[in-house]
Amino acid sequence: MNRHALVCRNILEHPQITQRELALAMDVSLGTANRLIRECIEQNLITAADDGHYQTAPEGMTLLEHYRVDGAVIIAAGFGSRFVPLTFETPKGLLEVFGERMIERQIRQLHETGITDITIVVGYLKEKFEYLTDKFGVKLLYNKEYSAKNTLATLYHARKAFQGRNMYLLSSDNWMRENMYHAYECGSWYSSVYQEQETSEWCLSFNKKGKIQRVEIGGRGSWVMYGPVFLEREWSQHFFPVLEAYYSLPGTEQFYWEHVYLELLNGEAARRLEDAGITSIQGIPVSRLSAEIPQLDLYVNRQASNQVYEFENLEELRLFDPRYQNHSDNAAMELVSQVFRVPESEIRNITCLKSGMTNKSFLFSVSGSRYICRIPGPGTELLIDRRQEAAVYEAVRPLGITEHVLYFNRNNGYKISEYYENARNCDASVPSDMEPCMELLRQVHQARLTVEHRFDIRERILFYESLCLKYGEIPFEDYAKVKGWMTELMDSLDRMGRPQTLCHIDSVADNFLFLTDGGLRLIDWEYSGMCDPLIDVAMCCIYSYYDEAQTDWLIETYLGRIPDSEERAVVYSYVALGGFLWTLWAVYKSRLGEEFGEYTLIMYRYAKRYYRKLHEKET
């Protein structure tokens, strides 16, 4: 930290500043401020005016030029799970505080300081940020790994913005009461606030000059990393090559970028890099990284307790901005308020339960009881008829085996249901779990329930295929051949004239709940319809990633006997067709911006492998 430059900057920004005010602004003693002023006058960096005030001299302006801030990078890629359901619709950084969006407040504060070169790293709901390019002239940088990796990867993708430049590094969801940005910054720093109570934040130890010497995760009675960061060009020049090395290391996917700094500071970086076979970075042996890079000095920038805010959850935001207590302008919160006839302030303990393949849902409590609100995901309205889903719940209700549904909207699919405390999902790897689940499926099928709609797998495959083709070709080289195989299987099933009854279709192990009172529930009937009951066995197999031996065991468990050749062939056919169907479903969903990793490949392999198994058995 160049204290002489800091004196010049403070005098430039506040020509009437007194020595006492300077000491306060620089977080030093009055004696130190007096000494620094004398040294600056001796070096012709500042001049003393007749009225007792000071001016930054031309030499001081020349010194400051090296410290001019070039721009800012704002991280805005994450989901913000602790702010559901608000973040189902709006990225956290675009939430308003006192009528102003958090990210817009920061951009305006930067502009007030003359900083207009701003890059926003986006990911989740990236399109929501596009308007900022017109409104403020910012640049957007897409981080395609936002859903799978943490801020280490975010900073890796934004690394070019820091090359040879003095840059602020900000989070879109921070709120600063006063503008704490400057045209000139005289050393790399991390904003910090004091935490008296026990905290999980990153706690700092630093010397008398404010240089950080140690970082520990968690503690009490400590200054903690909290809010904006400023990185000098020299700091970034030496830090980012280490961060790039970390990015490629297995096990760092969930690292914050600060993990790299922490391990450099405590000496762990050398061990991690050497274990990965990396012996040097920029010609420096990794064993001497910490000692050989004094340019990685980072200083604490202590802030008042009411200056910087990082809202941890919706409850904290409610306490800060009373508007969120009863008027969040969020459809799900308004719905819950209406259903339970309570103000939004009484909807508490909100947590993200799932942001999954088809739906998003959150857990909440009202009057001491907990419930689940389901929100259909994007594009789901094309895949699921919610009126048909409602009809299924009506048909199954006499069996008493579903979740307790308190509210169901037949138009948009919003659903509120009771939460079963301490219930657990079925474990597909445990036979004693799967046996009662198959018994429950058999009970459903033997009830011979009927609804007016069918689950027609041929129609679904053709429909999903048409959705995919609207966005381009289906990305499998042998797709035409495999589709021909699936058509052959469907034709064969049609010729069999198999029995039809109400089937669950989505019989994944996670949809079976074991209750604490010994009960068992089968939930989430949105894909259900009339079909061959053996399709439920097949779907359970592929959702559980079963191999052939496990599939054969599950067929026997469901039937309670050895299957005949037709029954086994039917299940194998539905395994293949189910794999093909969900492949197309996942391809379509990926075109909407959702990604499911290897799921698509696994499903496609089921289609091909079980078609071949059927032909092996025939021969």
Side-chain angles (χ1 to χ4, degrees):
M1 182 75 69
N2 189 317
R3 290 188 170 187
H4 292 152
L6 199 53
V7 170
C8 294
R9 186 197 76 183
N10 278 286
I11 290 174
L12 178 67
E13 292 179 346
H14 308 286
Q16 304 298 311
I17 195 168
T18 65
Q19 290 185 3
R20 188 173 300 278
E21 290 169 339
L22 180 64
L24 184 63
M26 294 181 62
D27 197 17
V28 298
S29 67
L30 181 57
T32 299
N34 292 339
R35 175 177 57 80
L36 289 170
I37 286 175
R38 288 197 306 271
E39 291 172 355
C40 286
I41 291 174
E42 290 170 0
Q43 297 175 32
N44 298 318
L45 299 175
I46 64 173
T47 58
D50 293 338
D51 60 2
H53 293 108
Y54 306 95
Q55 291 182 336
T56 303
E59 289 86 346
M61 293 302 301
T62 300
L63 173 64
L64 279 179
E65 197 57 35
H66 176 77
Y67 298 99
R68 182 182 293 277
V69 178
D70 296 302
V73 168
I74 304 177
I75 295 174
F79 167 49
S81 61
R82 288 175 291 184
F83 279 77
V84 298
L86 275 60
T87 48
F88 285 149
E89 301 173 358
T90 306
K92 186 178 174 185
L94 293 181
L95 295 178
E96 292 184 359
V97 176
F98 299 120
E100 183 180 31
R101 287 179 161 176
M102 286 188 280
I103 196 170
E104 288 196 20
R105 181 179 181 85
Q106 292 194 71
I107 294 171
R108 287 194 180 98
Q109 288 175 333
L110 288 166
H111 280 197
E112 288 170 6
T113 313
I115 301 166
T116 58
D117 189 338
I118 302 169
T119 298
I120 303 175
V121 187
V122 297
Y124 173 69
L125 294 180
K126 58 186 182 299
E127 294 83 4
K128 295 280 189 177
F129 293 94
E130 200 280 332
Y131 80 98
L132 294 170
T133 62
D134 293 320
K135 188 170 184 177
F136 294 107
V138 302
K139 293 172 284 189
L140 301 185
L141 174 65
Y142 178 58
N143 170 19
K144 63 182 179 181
E145 297 182 299
Y146 75 91
S147 63
K149 297 184 178 182
N150 217 316
T151 61
L152 188 159
T154 303
L155 216 57
Y156 171 84
H157 291 297
R159 64 194 185 281
K160 291 184 179 179
F162 292 86
Q163 290 178 358
R165 309 177 76 213
N166 296 323
M167 298 289 290
Y168 284 116
L169 175 59
L170 313 175
S171 295
S172 66
D173 53 6
N174 284 171
W175 189 90
M176 270 65 69
R177 186 177 300 278
E178 303 296 336
N179 192 341
M180 59 185 290
Y181 307 126
H182 301 276
Y184 305 94
E185 291 287 357
C186 306
S188 298
W189 53 255
Y190 206 119
S191 172
S192 178
V193 300
Y194 190 75
Q195 296 277 4
E196 182 67 44
Q197 303 301 320
E198 193 73 28
T199 179
S200 59
E201 300 287 349
W202 294 41
C203 300
L204 303 174
S205 299
F206 45 90
N207 64 17
K208 291 182 178 180
K209 292 186 176 182
K211 186 174 77 172
I212 298 172
Q213 297 180 309
R214 185 171 180 80
V215 180
E216 294 182 347
I217 301 176
R220 66 180 303 149
S222 175
W223 289 90
V224 302
M225 290 178 157
Y226 206 78
V229 182
F230 174 73
L231 304 178
E232 289 181 293
R233 61 174 66 88
E234 293 85 1
W235 201 95
S236 296
Q237 177 185 347
H238 292 90
F239 176 76
F240 275 89
V242 183
L243 181 137
E244 289 178 22
Y246 264 65
Y247 172 79
S248 63
L249 299 180
T252 62
E253 293 82 5
Q254 296 308 312
F255 271 27
Y256 296 103
W257 73 263
E258 292 93 339
H259 276 103
V260 183
Y261 170 69
L262 182 152
E263 294 196 354
L264 277 168
L265 200 61
N266 65 20
E268 285 295 306
R271 178 196 56 80
R272 186 180 297 276
L273 293 168
E274 286 173 342
D275 288 349
I278 300 173
T279 58
S280 67
I281 293 179
Q282 289 188 315
I284 299 175
V286 295
S287 60
R288 294 192 54 78
L289 273 177
S290 299
E292 295 288 340
I293 308 182
Q295 293 90 342
L296 286 179
D297 289 347
L298 193 62
Y299 290 82
V300 62
N301 185 349
R302 289 184 280 187
Q303 297 294 317
S305 60
N306 65 344
Q307 163 62 9
V308 180
Y309 291 85
E310 292 182 1
F311 302 107
E312 291 297 319
N313 49 51
L314 181 55
E315 296 293 339
E316 285 191 7
L317 186 55
R318 280 173 166 175
L319 291 173
F320 191 73
D321 184 350
R323 173 201 142 199
Y324 283 97
Q325 293 181 13
N326 292 310
H327 301 287
S328 63
D329 295 330
N330 176 264
M333 292 291 286
E334 291 173 359
L335 171 64
V336 173
S337 175
Q338 293 169 7
V339 169
F340 289 91
R341 298 181 180 179
V342 298
E344 287 188 25
S345 59
E346 294 189 26
I347 306 168
R348 298 172 181 157
N349 305 313
I350 303 168
T351 56
C352 183
L353 194 61
K354 180 174 67 172
S355 181
M357 293 182 174
T358 303
N359 302 307
K360 302 170 182 178
S361 57
F362 65 95
L363 187 64
F364 65 94
S365 64
V366 172
S367 302
S369 297
R370 295 208 284 177
Y371 306 91
I372 299 168
C373 180
R374 180 193 73 183
I375 303 171
T380 306
E381 68 280 359
L382 295 175
L383 308 180
I384 297 170
D385 186 321
R386 297 301 179 180
R387 295 181 182 277
Q388 292 180 352
E389 181 186 4
V392 168
Y393 273 104
E394 288 294 327
V396 179
R397 181 180 298 171
L399 299 182
I401 60 170
T402 73
E403 70 271 39
H404 179 205
V405 178
L406 288 83
Y407 171 87
F408 191 101
N409 189 310
R410 295 168 179 260
N411 296 316
N412 59 24
Y414 275 67
K415 180 179 74 172
I416 298 175
S417 56
E418 180 183 351
Y419 175 74
Y420 295 103
E421 298 288 347
N422 300 313
R424 67 175 181 86
N425 301 111
C426 169
D427 186 340
S429 67
V430 178
S432 59
D433 268 14
M434 293 300 289
E435 289 164 356
C437 293
M438 292 301 100
E439 182 180 343
L440 183 61
L441 270 184
R442 191 165 58 247
Q443 177 188 344
V444 172
H445 298 153
Q446 290 176 348
R448 296 289 187 264
L449 301 174
T450 61
V451 290
E452 293 183 359
H453 65 276
R454 295 179 59 219
F455 181 83
D456 184 335
I457 199 163
R458 186 191 299 270
E459 181 273 334
R460 289 288 88 185
I461 285 174
L462 293 175
F463 177 63
Y464 287 5
E465 180 188 58
S466 69
L467 292 178
C468 293
L469 291 175
K470 288 182 180 179
Y471 293 90
E473 294 298 318
I474 296 172
F476 292 99
E477 291 289 332
D478 57 354
Y479 176 77
K481 179 175 69 174
V482 175
K483 181 186 176 183
W485 293 351
M486 298 303 107
T487 301
E488 179 185 325
L489 295 181
M490 290 185 287
D491 291 344
S492 176
L493 288 171
D494 287 346
R495 288 192 294 270
M496 291 181 187
R498 296 282 304 168
Q500 304 277 302
T501 189
L502 179 61
C503 296
H504 188 276
I505 308 300
D506 196 21
S507 45
V508 56
D510 282 351
N511 281 336
F512 291 94
L513 291 184
F514 288 93
L515 309 186
T516 55
D517 63 2
L520 179 61
R521 296 287 185 271
L522 180 54
I523 65 173
D524 291 350
W525 292 72
E526 58 193 342
Y527 290 99
S528 302
M530 301 297 289
C531 198
D532 183 340
L534 289 182
I535 194 172
D536 279 344
V537 181
M539 293 298 186
C540 190
C541 290
I542 62 175
Y543 293 144
S544 303
Y545 291 177
Y546 274 5
D547 60 22
E548 185 176 357
Q550 292 170 307
T551 297
D552 288 344
W553 173 82
L554 196 67
I555 300 171
E556 294 179 17
T557 300
Y558 169 81
L559 293 173
R561 57 176 170 78
I562 302 295
D564 59 36
S565 58
E566 179 179 301
E567 290 167 330
R568 191 184 303 274
V570 168
V571 174
Y572 276 31
S573 295
Y574 279 125
V575 168
L577 291 167
F580 192 69
L581 175 72
W582 302 127
T583 295
L584 293 170
W585 177 89
V587 169
Y588 167 64
K589 296 289 278 185
S590 69
R591 300 284 167 79
L592 298 179
E594 299 185 52
E595 184 54 56
F596 304 113
E598 63 178 352
Y599 176 82
T600 312
L601 297 176
I602 292 172
M603 291 298 106
Y604 198 59
R605 292 305 304 173
Y606 268 116
K608 297 166 75 170
R609 187 164 70 248
Y610 275 79
Y611 172 83
R612 292 180 176 127
K613 287 182 181 297
L614 282 165
H615 283 267
E616 289 171 4
K617 293 183 181 296
E618 290 175 1
T619 57

